[in-house]
Amino acid sequence: MAGDCIFCKIAAGEIPAKFRYKDDEIIAFDDLDPQAPQHILIVPRKHIRTTLDLTTADNELIGHVYQVAGKLAHDLGFAQDGFRVVNNCNEGGGQSVWHIHFHLLGGRDMVWPPG
Ligand code: 5GP
Ligand code: ZN
């Protein structure tokens, strides 16, 4: 755990969140500032700073993230209509929390390009 990391604190139960999924590797909870009717953050418990810090040791973990994304999309009822999974990397990519996470967005039509 990184001491001043918001997502490590949420994973440790030190900051409250509306959880949608939890297991030993991953947590998923509603984003504080939703950009779609359903906006969930899927977050590995392991403190990985950005996508650029992933190693081959994390391959299974990231595969698991996508399995959970699909499961949540099904459970929340927007899988068939369509949804988006987004990972922002570094400042120019829109990253603002320095603990890797995946936005699961659903409940509306998405536009492309995303901006
Ligand atoms: P990023 O900009 O790094 O891709 O995404 C960070 C996301 O974390 C943002 O969408 C922001 O709304 C969300 N966020 C930041 N702080 C908190 C928090 O304390 N609780 C929750 N639930 N979401 C947060
Ligand atoms: Zn962290």
Side-chain angles (χ1 to χ4, degrees):
M1 160 150 174
D4 58 349
C5 172
I6 295 168
F7 290 172
C8 282
K9 286 183 178 164
I10 290 175
E14 291 170 14
I15 293 177
K18 180 159 188 202
F19 286 100
R20 300 289 188 171
Y21 180 85
K22 273 184 195 179
D23 66 25
D24 288 349
E25 305 295 326
I26 284 171
I27 56 173
F29 53 87
D30 285 353
D31 196 296
L32 211 56
D33 180 22
Q35 302 302 312
Q38 314 248 33
H39 184 171
I40 294 160
L41 298 173
I42 303 175
V43 183
R45 289 182 184 273
K46 180 179 174 186
H47 183 85
I48 300 166
R49 200 167 171 276
T50 78
T51 293
L52 298 171
D53 299 299
L54 289 166
T55 71
T56 53
D58 303 310
N59 286 356
E60 203 170 313
L61 176 63
I62 300 307
H64 184 42
V65 165
Y66 276 83
Q67 293 287 323
V68 169
K71 178 185 161 34
L72 284 169
H74 271 294
D75 291 352
L76 295 167
F78 57 75
Q80 292 313 313
D81 284 342
F83 60 93
R84 190 168 283 172
V85 179
V86 176
N87 166 245
N88 297 325
C89 183
N90 278 346
E91 275 169 25
Q95 186 171 3
S96 61
V97 175
W98 303 95
H99 177 138
I100 196 168
H101 53 281
F102 298 80
H103 299 255
L104 172 63
L105 298 148
R108 66 165 167 84
D109 288 341
M110 301 293 151
V111 295
W112 194 264

